[in-house]
Amino acid sequence: MTDLRYRFLDMLDEFGYDIFNLKMIRGTGHFSDKEITFALKTLTKSGTIIKIERGKYVRSSFSDEFVIGNFLAPDGGIAYWSALNSYGLTEQFPNVVFIQTAIRRGQITFRNLRYKFIKVDSRKLFGYKDFGYGNHKYRMTDVEKTIVDSFDLPQYSGWYQETIKAFNNAKLNARKLTLYCKKLDNISVTKRLGYLCELLGKPDLGFFIDYAQSVIRNGYSLFEIDGEDKGEYNKRWKLIVNMPVDEILEIANS
């Protein structure tokens, strides 16, 4: 190995860079652009460093998919089905890492794992917790935000077979759930969650139920957003409950 490559790897050790981009390397001031290009070319050829996508690399020994996913979309964080699984709220785990971001970009496959970027309005980028340390840090939606997101876009969380069960099993803070629903500003989601609170018997979420009732308008929403436009009309929650209640309860307790 040439002296340049040794010095490049020493620099990665010095700064704790197991995952990095060109801007980070240039920011160290240790190498010229020509040296960086040569070092990366030779180190990727030897397999010591692996290219994720243009300008972004990992050391071959590094494999934390959540750190990698958040690094690829640093404005957001790990969310939806990936977060549900991380919190133990679903037993299903697709071979996909779901990342919430306000940046439109296509999914990529890296080391046989798909990274799917869910573009949302920037106002939805809230409710994250930090995990890890240093260059190994990543953000993930907290439990309450994960539940709200899962009812907002259930197609990225396993649909209602997973979201209802996750809601029933999650330990939720009523005030945080209320705050997040206010910020999300999706009354249909708020109504669905309020309805489930009462159906599944969630006395600790009384504060949220009161809030959910206060924002109800005259129009009806479907309980299952991709279901048929027919079912029981629930006047209290202004919902068309287009799933059998027995099925909802079965899913919740499965």
Side-chain angles (χ1 to χ4, degrees):
M1 186 178 292
T2 65
D3 178 64
L4 174 60
R5 287 184 289 175
Y6 276 123
R7 289 193 292 113
F8 193 91
L9 293 176
D10 284 344
M11 176 272 298
L12 295 182
D13 289 338
E14 177 187 349
F15 286 88
Y17 288 167
D18 285 322
I19 183 168
F20 56 91
N21 57 31
L22 290 177
K23 182 178 179 180
M24 293 164 64
I25 300 304
R26 289 173 179 139
T28 67
H30 284 28
F31 304 99
S32 67
D33 283 353
K34 184 176 180 180
E35 288 175 321
I36 293 171
T37 298
F38 179 79
L40 289 173
K41 181 178 179 180
T42 54
L43 288 169
T44 53
K45 186 175 181 179
S46 69
T48 306
I49 287 172
I50 302 173
K51 183 179 180 179
I52 309 173
E53 62 179 10
R54 184 178 180 181
K56 296 175 183 176
Y57 303 82
V58 293
R59 299 182 75 154
S60 59
S61 58
F62 187 74
S63 60
D64 191 316
E65 63 268 23
F66 286 172
V67 174
I68 292 171
N70 201 177
F71 188 81
L72 294 172
D75 68 316
I78 307 303
Y80 304 105
W81 210 337
S82 298
L84 286 179
N85 184 269
S86 184
Y87 291 127
L89 298 175
T90 175
E91 297 172 357
Q92 304 299 318
F93 186 68
N95 196 36
V96 181
V97 176
F98 291 89
I99 305 105
Q100 186 178 71
T101 175
I103 301 169
R104 185 179 301 281
R105 54 162 304 161
Q107 69 179 17
I108 70 168
T109 299
F110 180 67
R111 289 175 172 159
N112 298 315
L113 185 65
R114 280 196 298 138
Y115 291 81
K116 188 172 182 63
F117 303 91
I118 312 304
K119 185 185 182 304
V120 299
D121 191 278
S122 59
R123 68 182 177 81
K124 293 185 178 182
L125 298 181
F126 63 87
Y128 298 110
K129 287 180 63 176
D130 290 330
F131 294 87
Y133 58 92
N135 189 229
H136 296 182
K137 287 183 70 173
Y138 65 91
R139 300 199 303 171
M140 180 186 292
T141 51
D142 65 19
V143 172
E144 287 80 7
K145 181 59 163 29
T146 301
I147 292 295
V148 170
D149 282 341
S150 294
F151 279 85
D152 183 41
L153 296 173
Q155 64 269 38
Y156 302 122
S157 300
W159 287 105
Y160 282 37
Q161 288 288 336
E162 298 302 321
T163 58
I164 292 172
K165 178 170 62 176
F167 174 80
N168 194 40
N169 291 331
K171 294 182 179 179
L172 300 168
N173 180 291
R175 293 183 181 273
K176 190 181 285 188
L177 190 64
T178 300
L179 174 63
Y180 289 173
C181 281
K182 284 181 179 179
K183 295 185 71 171
L184 187 73
D185 194 26
N186 185 328
I187 293 177
S188 294
V189 167
T190 302
K191 293 194 294 184
R192 292 179 191 117
L193 291 173
Y195 169 76
L196 284 174
C197 283
E198 292 192 334
L199 179 65
L200 301 176
K202 300 287 185 180
D204 292 343
L205 296 179
F207 182 88
F208 172 74
I209 292 172
D210 290 343
Y211 163 72
Q213 276 288 301
S214 74
V215 298
I216 290 177
R217 302 294 181 263
N218 289 328
Y220 277 78
S221 306
L222 292 176
F223 175 74
E224 185 181 15
I225 61 175
D226 64 327
E228 295 186 43
D229 190 9
K230 62 181 181 180
E232 174 195 345
Y233 278 68
N234 185 295
K235 293 182 179 180
R236 173 167 166 78
W237 289 106
K238 291 292 190 293
L239 283 173
I240 301 173
V241 184
N242 53 352
M243 288 180 68
V245 172
D246 288 348
E247 183 179 344
I248 296 173
L249 294 171
E250 182 179 351
I251 291 171
N253 294 296
S254 61

